[in-house]
Amino acid sequence: MASVHLLHRLPHLALALIATPLAAQTTVIVPCAADNTLYESPTGSLSNGSGPSIFIGMTAGPFIPQKRRALVRFNVAASVPAGAKILAASFSLNVVQTTAFPPIPVMGHRVLQAWGEGTSIATLGNGGQGAPATTGDATWLHSSWSTVFWATAGGDYDLTPSFTMSTPSFGIGTSPIAPGTVTDVQFWLDNPAQNFGWLLKTDEQFASTARRCDSRETTLGTPPSLSVTYVVPGQLATWGSGCPVGAGNFGFSYVGAPVGGTTIQLVQNNAPALTIGVNFFSLELDPIGSPLLPGCTIYLPLASLLSGPVFITDGAGNGSAPFGVPFGFPGYIVVSQSFAFDSASLLGFSLSNAGIAHLL
Protein backbone atom coordinates (compact mmCIF):
# COMPACT_ATOMS: atom_id res chain seq x y z
CA MET A 1 0.00 0.00 0.00
CA ALA A 2 2.90 2.34 0.73
CA SER A 3 4.22 1.85 -2.82
CA VAL A 4 0.82 2.62 -4.33
CA HIS A 5 0.58 5.76 -2.20
CA LEU A 6 4.04 6.89 -3.31
CA LEU A 7 3.25 6.24 -6.96
CA HIS A 8 0.10 8.36 -6.66
CA ARG A 9 2.17 11.23 -5.24
CA LEU A 10 5.16 10.70 -7.54
CA PRO A 11 4.73 13.74 -9.83
CA HIS A 12 4.57 16.16 -6.90
CA LEU A 13 7.36 14.46 -4.98
CA ALA A 14 9.59 14.30 -8.02
CA LEU A 15 9.29 18.03 -8.68
CA ALA A 16 10.02 18.85 -5.06
CA LEU A 17 12.99 16.52 -4.80
CA ILE A 18 14.60 17.61 -8.06
CA ALA A 19 14.64 21.11 -6.62
CA THR A 20 15.77 20.10 -3.12
CA PRO A 21 16.95 16.47 -2.90
CA LEU A 22 17.14 15.01 0.60
CA ALA A 23 20.62 14.10 1.80
CA ALA A 24 22.07 12.09 4.68
CA GLN A 25 20.47 9.38 6.77
CA THR A 26 18.66 10.10 10.02
CA THR A 27 19.36 8.54 13.43
CA VAL A 28 16.79 8.66 16.25
CA ILE A 29 16.77 7.29 19.78
CA VAL A 30 13.50 5.44 20.41
CA PRO A 31 12.49 5.33 24.10
CA CYS A 32 11.32 2.14 25.73
CA ALA A 33 7.52 1.90 25.57
CA ALA A 34 7.09 -1.11 27.87
CA ASP A 35 9.22 -3.51 29.91
CA ASN A 36 8.83 -6.22 32.50
CA THR A 37 10.59 -9.23 34.04
CA LEU A 38 9.56 -12.88 33.85
CA TYR A 39 10.41 -14.49 37.19
CA GLU A 40 10.63 -18.28 36.95
CA SER A 41 7.80 -19.53 39.16
CA PRO A 42 5.51 -22.59 39.13
CA THR A 43 2.51 -20.40 39.95
CA GLY A 44 3.26 -17.56 37.53
CA SER A 45 2.29 -15.03 40.16
CA LEU A 46 5.35 -12.74 40.19
CA SER A 47 6.05 -9.64 38.13
CA ASN A 48 7.54 -6.12 38.26
CA GLY A 49 5.54 -4.17 35.72
CA SER A 50 6.10 -0.69 37.18
CA GLY A 51 9.34 -1.27 39.07
CA PRO A 52 12.55 0.66 38.37
CA SER A 53 14.49 -2.47 37.33
CA ILE A 54 14.43 -5.41 34.94
CA PHE A 55 16.37 -8.64 35.52
CA ILE A 56 18.23 -11.04 33.19
CA GLY A 57 20.11 -14.26 34.01
CA MET A 58 20.18 -16.89 36.79
CA THR A 59 19.83 -16.26 40.51
CA ALA A 60 22.18 -17.63 43.19
CA GLY A 61 19.57 -19.75 44.91
CA PRO A 62 19.44 -20.26 47.89
CA PHE A 63 18.27 -23.68 46.71
CA ILE A 64 17.63 -24.11 42.98
CA PRO A 65 18.77 -21.16 40.82
CA GLN A 66 15.87 -19.49 39.03
CA LYS A 67 15.72 -17.87 35.62
CA ARG A 68 15.07 -14.19 35.03
CA ARG A 69 14.08 -12.94 31.58
CA ALA A 70 13.36 -9.36 30.60
CA LEU A 71 10.82 -8.06 28.08
CA VAL A 72 11.30 -4.75 26.27
CA ARG A 73 9.23 -3.09 23.57
CA PHE A 74 9.84 0.05 21.50
CA ASN A 75 7.18 1.97 19.55
CA VAL A 76 9.22 2.26 16.36
CA ALA A 77 6.29 3.56 14.30
CA ALA A 78 5.97 6.58 16.61
CA SER A 79 9.58 7.67 15.99
CA VAL A 80 10.34 6.55 12.41
CA PRO A 81 8.26 7.66 9.39
CA ALA A 82 6.18 5.05 7.60
CA GLY A 83 7.88 3.87 4.43
CA ALA A 84 11.40 4.44 5.79
CA LYS A 85 14.12 1.87 5.18
CA ILE A 86 16.03 0.81 8.29
CA LEU A 87 19.79 0.80 7.77
CA ALA A 88 20.99 0.01 11.29
CA ALA A 89 19.63 -0.50 14.80
CA SER A 90 21.20 -1.14 18.19
CA PHE A 91 19.73 -1.74 21.65
CA SER A 92 21.21 -0.37 24.90
CA LEU A 93 20.58 -1.07 28.57
CA ASN A 94 22.24 -0.02 31.82
CA VAL A 95 23.48 -2.69 34.25
CA VAL A 96 23.37 -1.46 37.85
CA GLN A 97 23.99 -4.59 39.96
CA THR A 98 25.35 -8.13 39.61
CA THR A 99 27.48 -10.68 41.45
CA ALA A 100 28.99 -11.95 38.17
CA PHE A 101 31.71 -9.52 37.20
CA PRO A 102 33.00 -10.90 33.86
CA PRO A 103 31.03 -9.73 30.79
CA ILE A 104 28.03 -11.98 30.11
CA PRO A 105 26.35 -12.50 26.71
CA VAL A 106 22.67 -11.59 26.57
CA MET A 107 20.53 -12.65 23.64
CA GLY A 108 17.59 -10.69 22.26
CA HIS A 109 14.76 -12.82 20.83
CA ARG A 110 11.76 -11.43 18.95
CA VAL A 111 8.61 -11.99 21.03
CA LEU A 112 5.68 -13.64 19.25
CA GLN A 113 2.75 -12.64 21.47
CA ALA A 114 1.47 -9.43 23.04
CA TRP A 115 2.32 -8.97 26.72
CA GLY A 116 1.66 -6.38 29.39
CA GLU A 117 3.00 -4.44 32.32
CA GLY A 118 0.75 -3.81 35.30
CA THR A 119 1.21 -1.81 38.48
CA SER A 120 3.37 -4.33 40.38
CA ILE A 121 6.57 -2.97 41.96
CA ALA A 122 9.10 -5.48 43.31
CA THR A 123 11.08 -4.33 46.36
CA LEU A 124 12.57 -7.44 48.03
CA GLY A 125 16.14 -8.10 47.01
CA ASN A 126 16.23 -4.81 45.10
CA GLY A 127 13.40 -6.23 43.01
CA GLY A 128 15.06 -9.55 42.24
CA GLN A 129 12.43 -11.61 44.03
CA GLY A 130 9.48 -10.07 42.21
CA ALA A 131 6.16 -8.81 43.52
CA PRO A 132 2.60 -10.17 43.36
CA ALA A 133 1.40 -9.71 39.78
CA THR A 134 -1.38 -7.23 39.07
CA THR A 135 -3.92 -7.15 36.26
CA GLY A 136 -2.24 -7.13 32.85
CA ASP A 137 1.24 -8.05 34.10
CA ALA A 138 3.43 -10.46 32.16
CA THR A 139 4.60 -13.37 34.33
CA TRP A 140 6.44 -16.66 33.77
CA LEU A 141 3.14 -18.31 32.82
CA HIS A 142 1.02 -15.35 31.68
CA SER A 143 1.42 -12.86 28.88
CA SER A 144 -1.28 -10.88 30.70
CA TRP A 145 -2.05 -11.87 34.29
CA SER A 146 -4.25 -13.64 35.17
CA THR A 147 -6.31 -14.78 32.17
CA VAL A 148 -3.99 -14.85 29.11
CA PHE A 149 -1.23 -17.45 29.05
CA TRP A 150 1.95 -17.92 27.08
CA ALA A 151 1.89 -21.01 24.88
CA THR A 152 5.19 -21.95 26.55
CA ALA A 153 6.15 -21.11 30.12
CA GLY A 154 8.84 -18.42 30.13
CA GLY A 155 7.48 -16.58 27.10
CA ASP A 156 6.79 -17.17 23.41
CA TYR A 157 9.73 -16.03 21.30
CA ASP A 158 11.70 -16.84 18.18
CA LEU A 159 14.31 -19.40 19.23
CA THR A 160 16.90 -17.83 16.94
CA PRO A 161 18.27 -14.70 18.61
CA SER A 162 18.09 -11.47 16.66
CA PHE A 163 21.27 -10.27 18.37
CA THR A 164 23.78 -11.19 21.04
CA MET A 165 25.29 -8.43 23.16
CA SER A 166 27.95 -8.36 25.85
CA THR A 167 26.73 -6.90 29.14
CA PRO A 168 29.24 -5.41 31.60
CA SER A 169 29.11 -5.87 35.36
CA PHE A 170 28.21 -2.20 35.63
CA GLY A 171 27.29 0.43 33.05
CA ILE A 172 25.89 0.62 29.54
CA GLY A 173 25.85 -2.39 27.24
CA THR A 174 24.98 -1.93 23.57
CA SER A 175 24.16 -4.57 20.98
CA PRO A 176 26.28 -4.65 17.83
CA ILE A 177 24.65 -3.78 14.53
CA ALA A 178 23.27 -7.10 13.30
CA PRO A 179 21.06 -8.17 10.38
CA GLY A 180 18.49 -9.69 12.76
CA THR A 181 18.10 -6.44 14.68
CA VAL A 182 17.57 -4.49 11.46
CA THR A 183 15.05 -7.07 10.23
CA ASP A 184 13.05 -6.89 13.47
CA VAL A 185 12.93 -3.09 13.57
CA GLN A 186 11.91 -2.92 9.90
CA PHE A 187 9.16 -5.48 10.56
CA TRP A 188 7.88 -3.48 13.55
CA LEU A 189 7.84 -0.29 11.51
CA ASP A 190 5.90 -1.93 8.68
CA ASN A 191 3.64 -4.00 10.99
CA PRO A 192 3.15 -2.04 14.22
CA ALA A 193 0.28 -4.27 15.37
CA GLN A 194 2.77 -7.16 15.52
CA ASN A 195 5.42 -5.29 17.47
CA PHE A 196 5.85 -7.33 20.66
CA GLY A 197 9.46 -6.41 21.31
CA TRP A 198 12.36 -8.57 22.47
CA LEU A 199 12.84 -11.10 25.23
CA LEU A 200 16.30 -10.79 26.80
CA LYS A 201 17.95 -13.87 28.29
CA THR A 202 21.34 -15.44 28.99
CA ASP A 203 22.23 -19.02 28.09
CA GLU A 204 20.86 -19.85 31.56
CA GLN A 205 23.58 -22.41 32.24
CA PHE A 206 25.18 -21.01 35.39
CA ALA A 207 23.90 -19.70 38.73
CA SER A 208 24.71 -16.24 40.06
CA THR A 209 24.72 -14.58 36.65
CA ALA A 210 21.66 -12.36 37.11
CA ARG A 211 21.96 -8.71 36.18
CA ARG A 212 19.74 -5.94 37.52
CA CYS A 213 19.25 -3.26 34.88
CA ASP A 214 17.41 0.04 34.80
CA SER A 215 13.85 -0.16 33.50
CA ARG A 216 11.96 2.58 31.73
CA GLU A 217 10.51 3.59 35.10
CA THR A 218 13.90 4.45 36.60
CA THR A 219 14.12 7.97 38.01
CA LEU A 220 17.88 8.24 38.55
CA GLY A 221 19.34 5.78 36.04
CA THR A 222 19.35 5.21 32.28
CA PRO A 223 16.31 3.44 30.77
CA PRO A 224 16.63 0.98 27.85
CA SER A 225 16.80 2.63 24.45
CA LEU A 226 16.89 1.77 20.77
CA SER A 227 19.04 3.67 18.26
CA VAL A 228 17.64 3.50 14.71
CA THR A 229 19.23 4.83 11.52
CA TYR A 230 16.99 5.12 8.46
CA VAL A 231 16.40 6.77 5.09
CA VAL A 232 13.05 7.95 3.75
CA PRO A 233 11.88 7.79 0.12
CA GLY A 234 13.79 10.34 -1.94
CA GLN A 235 16.70 10.45 0.49
CA LEU A 236 20.38 10.02 -0.39
CA ALA A 237 22.85 8.80 2.20
CA THR A 238 26.38 7.51 2.67
CA TRP A 239 27.57 4.62 4.79
CA GLY A 240 30.94 3.61 6.19
CA SER A 241 34.32 4.76 5.00
CA GLY A 242 36.26 4.20 1.81
CA CYS A 243 39.72 2.65 1.63
CA PRO A 244 42.67 4.91 2.52
CA VAL A 245 43.99 6.68 -0.57
CA GLY A 246 46.88 9.08 -0.06
CA ALA A 247 46.15 11.30 2.94
CA GLY A 248 42.39 10.68 2.85
CA ASN A 249 39.75 8.11 1.98
CA PHE A 250 38.11 7.14 -1.28
CA GLY A 251 34.70 8.86 -1.31
CA PHE A 252 31.51 8.20 -3.23
CA SER A 253 28.09 9.86 -3.35
CA TYR A 254 24.93 10.02 -5.41
CA VAL A 255 24.13 13.48 -6.78
CA GLY A 256 20.56 14.18 -7.90
CA ALA A 257 17.06 13.12 -6.95
CA PRO A 258 16.45 9.31 -6.99
CA VAL A 259 13.23 9.47 -9.01
CA GLY A 260 12.43 6.49 -11.21
CA GLY A 261 13.01 7.16 -14.91
CA THR A 262 15.49 10.02 -14.37
CA THR A 263 19.29 10.13 -14.51
CA ILE A 264 21.51 11.05 -11.57
CA GLN A 265 25.29 11.08 -11.13
CA LEU A 266 27.64 8.66 -9.39
CA VAL A 267 30.43 10.86 -8.11
CA GLN A 268 33.88 9.80 -6.86
CA ASN A 269 36.39 11.93 -4.97
CA ASN A 270 39.84 11.27 -3.54
CA ALA A 271 39.92 8.10 -5.63
CA PRO A 272 43.17 6.72 -7.06
CA ALA A 273 44.24 9.23 -9.71
CA LEU A 274 44.32 8.63 -13.46
CA THR A 275 42.77 5.19 -13.34
CA ILE A 276 39.65 3.33 -14.35
CA GLY A 277 36.91 2.00 -12.13
CA VAL A 278 33.41 0.62 -12.02
CA ASN A 279 30.42 0.97 -9.73
CA PHE A 280 28.81 -2.08 -8.17
CA PHE A 281 25.20 -2.18 -6.97
CA SER A 282 22.90 -4.09 -4.66
CA LEU A 283 19.35 -3.67 -3.40
CA GLU A 284 20.62 -4.33 0.13
CA LEU A 285 23.13 -2.79 2.52
CA ASP A 286 25.44 -4.91 4.67
CA PRO A 287 25.78 -2.43 7.56
CA ILE A 288 28.64 -4.35 9.17
CA GLY A 289 30.49 -5.01 5.95
CA SER A 290 33.23 -7.47 5.03
CA PRO A 291 36.72 -6.05 5.78
CA LEU A 292 39.24 -6.65 3.00
CA LEU A 293 42.07 -4.77 4.70
CA PRO A 294 42.16 -2.55 7.80
CA GLY A 295 39.98 0.45 6.95
CA CYS A 296 38.89 -1.09 3.65
CA THR A 297 35.43 -2.71 3.71
CA ILE A 298 32.85 -3.85 1.22
CA TYR A 299 29.30 -2.96 2.31
CA LEU A 300 27.43 -4.79 -0.46
CA PRO A 301 26.23 -8.38 0.08
CA LEU A 302 28.56 -10.45 -2.06
CA ALA A 303 25.76 -12.73 -3.24
CA SER A 304 23.79 -9.89 -4.85
CA LEU A 305 26.40 -7.75 -6.64
CA LEU A 306 25.56 -6.15 -9.99
CA SER A 307 28.08 -4.21 -12.08
CA GLY A 308 27.26 -0.73 -13.35
CA PRO A 309 28.81 2.24 -15.14
CA VAL A 310 32.55 2.57 -15.72
CA PHE A 311 34.31 5.81 -14.73
CA ILE A 312 37.74 7.38 -15.25
CA THR A 313 39.44 9.53 -12.62
CA ASP A 314 41.44 12.68 -13.28
CA GLY A 315 44.72 13.76 -11.72
CA ALA A 316 42.96 14.83 -8.53
CA GLY A 317 41.14 11.51 -8.13
CA ASN A 318 37.73 12.83 -9.19
CA GLY A 319 35.34 10.88 -11.37
CA SER A 320 31.72 10.72 -12.39
CA ALA A 321 29.30 8.53 -14.32
CA PRO A 322 25.58 8.76 -15.09
CA PHE A 323 23.11 6.34 -13.54
CA GLY A 324 19.62 5.77 -14.88
CA VAL A 325 17.29 5.37 -11.90
CA PRO A 326 15.05 2.36 -12.57
CA PHE A 327 11.37 3.15 -12.91
CA GLY A 328 8.72 1.18 -11.05
CA PHE A 329 10.63 0.44 -7.83
CA PRO A 330 9.47 3.05 -5.30
CA GLY A 331 10.41 2.14 -1.75
CA TYR A 332 13.50 0.17 -2.74
CA ILE A 333 17.03 1.25 -1.89
CA VAL A 334 19.93 1.06 -4.31
CA VAL A 335 23.30 0.72 -2.61
CA SER A 336 26.49 1.33 -4.56
CA GLN A 337 30.26 1.27 -4.03
CA SER A 338 32.97 2.38 -6.42
CA PHE A 339 35.86 0.06 -7.32
CA ALA A 340 39.03 1.53 -8.85
CA PHE A 341 42.35 0.00 -9.83
CA ASP A 342 45.04 1.19 -7.42
CA SER A 343 48.69 0.19 -7.82
CA ALA A 344 49.48 1.58 -4.36
CA SER A 345 47.08 -0.81 -2.61
CA LEU A 346 48.02 -4.32 -1.47
CA LEU A 347 44.78 -5.46 -3.09
CA GLY A 348 45.57 -3.83 -6.43
CA PHE A 349 42.34 -1.86 -6.10
CA SER A 350 40.52 0.45 -3.70
CA LEU A 351 36.87 0.72 -2.67
CA SER A 352 34.83 3.78 -1.75
CA ASN A 353 32.32 4.11 1.03
CA ALA A 354 28.77 3.02 0.19
CA GLY A 355 26.13 5.35 -1.21
CA ILE A 356 22.42 4.75 -0.61
CA ALA A 357 19.50 6.02 -2.69
CA HIS A 358 15.93 5.40 -1.48
CA LEU A 359 13.93 5.39 -4.71
CA LEU A 360 10.76 7.25 -5.58
Side-chain angles (χ1 to χ4, degrees):
M1 293 298 294
S3 296
V4 174
H5 181 60
L6 284 171
L7 281 170
H8 177 71
R9 298 174 57 205
L10 183 58
H12 300 90
L13 288 168
L15 289 173
L17 287 166
I18 289 172
T20 56
L22 299 171
Q25 60 270 34
T26 301
T27 298
V28 295
I29 303 300
V30 183
C32 188
D35 55 26
N36 211 330
T37 299
L38 304 183
Y39 297 82
E40 186 176 22
S41 163
T43 62
S45 60
L46 300 175
S47 192
N48 192 22
S50 295
S53 303
I54 53 176
F55 295 83
I56 308 165
M58 297 284 287
T59 67
F63 303 109
I64 299 175
Q66 294 180 325
K67 299 172 183 177
R68 301 288 185 260
R69 298 173 178 177
L71 295 167
V72 292
R73 183 172 61 81
F74 299 88
N75 190 352
V76 176
S79 298
V80 180
K85 182 71 173 180
I86 307 301
L87 302 179
S90 57
F91 164 74
S92 295
L93 82 169
N94 187 35
V95 180
V96 294
Q97 184 182 10
T98 186
T99 58
F101 294 102
I104 291 178
V106 167
M107 283 71 75
H109 298 257
R110 186 166 65 87
V111 182
L112 305 178
Q113 181 179 335
W115 50 272
E117 54 174 14
T119 58
S120 58
I121 299 177
T123 56
L124 294 177
N126 283 327
Q129 296 182 36
T134 63
T135 301
D137 263 328
T139 77
W140 191 256
L141 299 182
H142 307 87
S143 59
S144 180
W145 194 85
S146 61
T147 58
V148 184
F149 290 82
W150 300 110
T152 303
D156 301 332
Y157 56 90
D158 191 324
L159 296 180
T160 300
S162 300
F163 63 84
T164 300
M165 62 185 290
S166 177
T167 56
S169 59
F170 184 82
I172 302 291
T174 300
S175 70
I177 295 173
T181 314
V182 172
T183 298
D184 286 352
V185 175
Q186 185 73 64
F187 178 79
W188 295 336
L189 174 63
D190 298 338
N191 305 275
Q194 299 180 58
N195 178 0
F196 309 131
W198 285 306
L199 180 144
L200 308 174
K201 63 187 289 292
T202 66
D203 61 11
E204 301 175 339
Q205 297 298 308
F206 301 101
S208 301
T209 57
R211 270 144 158 69
R212 178 167 70 91
C213 307
D214 284 330
S215 77
R216 75 186 189 102
E217 287 87 2
T218 183
T219 56
L220 299 176
T222 304
S225 64
L226 177 66
S227 175
V228 179
T229 300
Y230 66 89
V231 287
V232 298
Q235 195 166 24
L236 302 173
T238 59
W239 190 264
S241 179
C243 301
V245 175
N249 294 86
F250 186 175
F252 167 79
S253 62
Y254 287 101
V255 176
V259 178
T262 66
T263 298
I264 61 177
Q265 293 295 310
L266 312 174
V267 177
Q268 296 78 29
N269 65 84
N270 202 57
L274 303 174
T275 191
I276 189 170
V278 64
N279 284 89
F280 286 94
F281 296 94
S282 175
L283 296 179
E284 300 176 76
L285 171 72
D286 178 356
I288 305 168
S290 301
L292 303 180
L293 286 176
C296 192
T297 301
I298 183 167
Y299 297 102
L300 307 181
L302 297 177
S304 60
L305 288 179
L306 298 172
S307 60
V310 172
F311 61 89
I312 297 174
T313 61
D314 61 19
N318 298 317
S320 179
F323 171 62
V325 181
F327 182 78
F329 294 92
Y332 284 81
I333 63 169
V334 175
V335 186
S336 182
Q337 270 187 279
S338 298
F339 162 106
F341 291 104
D342 184 0
S343 60
S345 169
L346 293 175
L347 298 170
F349 63 87
S350 286
L351 291 172
S352 70
N353 60 283
I356 302 161
H358 196 173
L359 304 187
L360 279 171

